[in-house]
Amino acid sequence: MMDNSKKPIHPAWLRAMHWLNALAVVVLMMSGWRIYNATAFLGFSIPKSITLGGWLGGALQWHFAAMWLLFFNGLLYLGFNLFSGRLKNKFFPLSPKVLLADFLSALKGKLAHADPRHYNMVQRLAYLFVMLDSIVIVLSGLVLWKSVQFPLLRELMFGYEGARRVHFFAMAALAAFVVVHLVMVALVPRTLVYMVRGR
């Protein structure tokens, strides 16, 4: 029987999919901001220096390319997590009481990261949120891309205009997660090593 301490903290498939998802999300956000700027329907614009695509047509090409990468890689990621049992073992159970305690510890800068093989409650909730948020992004994106073909989905999102807002704010939530995630990596830099080398 293999000693758990000798197993990689993150298996190779997880590391590869993590970095592909990260690439897809960055491209989607930057190209999405350029697409948003074409209408600026919320009354403000994103600085062009952090957008991708140069013009609307170019941004759409980048967006669709990254969309397919996130869709297929995300499906594989979810499938591997489900069928390997990792989803159940790493992210459940959730305890509101422990979550509150971990959240308060995080606010004080005292959240434990001693064992990288186990996620604290804040991490569990954050990663589950990202999975669900990514699904919302994909579904709202389908309405924006093929509105006529998905009438029920369009109605569930309060029409095309509602789907635009759902898509924008779901991506904004993902961007906020990315910022917090990078801050946490900066505070505990060995987590980056684990995600690159697995050990």
Side-chain angles (χ1 to χ4, degrees):
M1 193 174 196
M2 187 175 181
D3 182 2
N4 273 344
S5 64
K6 294 182 180 178
K7 281 185 179 180
I9 291 164
H10 301 303
W13 64 264
L14 177 75
R15 300 195 311 273
M17 289 179 188
H18 170 273
W19 291 113
L20 284 173
N21 279 338
L23 173 64
V25 165
V26 169
V27 173
L28 281 167
M29 281 193 293
M30 294 178 70
S31 59
W33 291 333
R34 180 62 191 88
I35 295 166
Y36 163 81
N37 278 352
T39 59
F41 62 90
L42 293 174
F44 63 89
S45 295
I46 308 290
K48 289 182 181 179
S49 59
I50 60 170
T51 66
L52 180 66
W55 61 298
L56 180 58
L60 285 167
Q61 290 177 335
W62 278 105
H63 207 68
F64 285 133
M67 171 192 77
W68 289 116
L69 175 59
L70 182 67
F71 178 75
F72 288 115
N73 193 58
L75 277 182
L76 284 173
Y77 177 84
L78 191 58
F80 270 88
N81 271 288
L82 280 170
F83 294 113
S84 69
R86 186 178 182 275
L87 187 70
K88 180 182 177 182
N89 295 333
K90 288 282 188 181
F91 302 107
F92 295 96
L94 288 173
S95 164
K97 184 178 179 181
V98 179
L99 174 62
L100 180 60
D102 282 353
F103 182 73
L104 292 173
S105 295
L107 290 178
K108 297 173 186 174
K110 296 179 180 178
L111 190 59
H113 293 279
D115 187 353
R117 296 179 189 278
H118 297 285
Y119 294 144
N120 58 56
M121 286 294 162
V122 172
Q123 288 174 303
R124 291 182 189 189
L125 188 64
Y127 294 137
L128 287 171
F129 166 78
V130 167
M131 291 179 207
L132 292 173
D133 188 55
S134 297
I135 292 169
V136 171
I137 288 169
V138 169
L139 293 178
S140 57
L142 284 175
V143 174
L144 299 178
W145 181 39
K146 298 284 187 181
S147 183
V148 175
Q149 285 85 345
F150 297 98
L152 178 59
L153 193 55
R154 184 181 67 240
E155 292 310 309
L156 288 172
M157 295 192 178
F158 307 102
Y160 184 86
E161 289 302 318
R164 281 211 299 183
R165 283 163 173 75
V166 168
H167 196 67
F168 183 90
F169 288 113
M171 186 56 81
L174 185 56
F177 166 82
V178 170
V179 170
V180 172
H181 190 55
L182 291 174
V183 169
M184 296 307 294
V185 169
L187 292 173
V188 190
R190 69 177 183 275
T191 56
L192 179 61
V193 177
Y194 300 150
M195 192 50 76
V196 173
R197 297 183 58 220
R199 302 176 184 280

